[in-house]
Amino acid sequence: KEILVQELINELSKIQCIEKVETQINVYEGKAGMRSIINLVSRYKQLCAFGATGRMYELFYEAPALVKELVKKRHRAKIITSPQYRGKQITTIKNIETRYLKADSEVTTTIFGDYIMLHMIKDKPVAILIKNKDIARG
């Protein structure tokens, strides 16, 4: 019995633990949904965005104050946006590195922490938030 147990221990020690990657997908709609996402994003010191339009400033009156606070806390962002938004508030923020690429899209893709967010701010704002570490890092 001792030999059998010892052999089992040896076999079990050879088994590698495979990290299980958890995936969560949530959909947010309207101003209340976007506020929830803003609260989540503000917890992270860095984000990257493609297709930024700066429409958050039009949607939320408190956006300038929030941005001022994030700059003070040294949050950083890298965004790629269309040249048509050159000079808009989103491109003049101190801690945001901006690049331009001609693209006709109303959808913004934002990556922060283990999250990927696709959002569009038009008549009714909508966002899809995906939490998956591997996708975010990729």
Side-chain angles (χ1 to χ4, degrees):
K1 288 181 180 180
E2 283 182 38
I3 293 171
L4 179 62
V5 169
Q6 189 61 39
E7 287 176 2
L8 285 173
I9 290 172
N10 290 338
E11 284 296 314
L12 289 173
S13 66
K14 292 178 185 176
I15 297 175
Q16 295 179 352
C17 292
I18 298 173
E19 185 179 337
K20 183 179 176 185
V21 178
E22 183 181 320
T23 301
Q24 294 177 354
I25 301 172
N26 295 305
V27 177
Y28 297 84
E29 293 181 324
K31 279 187 169 185
M34 296 307 287
R35 276 198 174 89
S36 298
I37 290 177
I38 288 171
N39 289 332
L40 178 63
V41 171
S42 66
R43 295 181 202 158
Y44 293 87
K45 288 275 190 187
Q46 189 166 353
L47 69 82
C48 297
F50 175 76
T53 62
R55 290 205 181 104
M56 283 286 195
Y57 282 96
E58 298 166 10
L59 187 63
F60 297 112
Y61 69 89
E62 67 268 23
L66 177 64
V67 167
K68 186 177 178 181
E69 183 67 26
L70 295 177
V71 167
K72 184 178 176 183
K73 291 181 178 180
R74 298 180 187 249
H75 287 242
R76 299 225 172 262
K78 293 181 180 184
I79 64 170
I80 298 173
T81 187
S82 177
Q84 73 187 31
Y85 299 112
R86 189 181 303 269
K88 297 267 185 179
Q89 270 186 307
I90 190 77
T91 64
T92 60
I93 298 170
K94 180 181 175 184
N95 293 356
I96 293 183
E97 182 182 329
T98 306
R99 298 284 187 260
Y100 299 95
L101 179 68
K102 187 171 166 80
D104 293 327
S105 177
E106 298 292 325
V107 178
T108 302
T109 303
T110 307
I111 303 167
F112 57 95
D114 293 342
Y115 294 92
I116 302 94
M117 175 178 60
L118 302 169
H119 74 274
M120 183 171 64
I121 299 176
K122 281 199 125 189
D123 300 329
K124 184 175 184 181
V126 64
I128 300 167
L129 186 66
I130 303 167
K131 181 180 181 185
N132 183 296
K133 185 162 105 178
D134 292 336
I135 294 173
R137 296 219 172 134

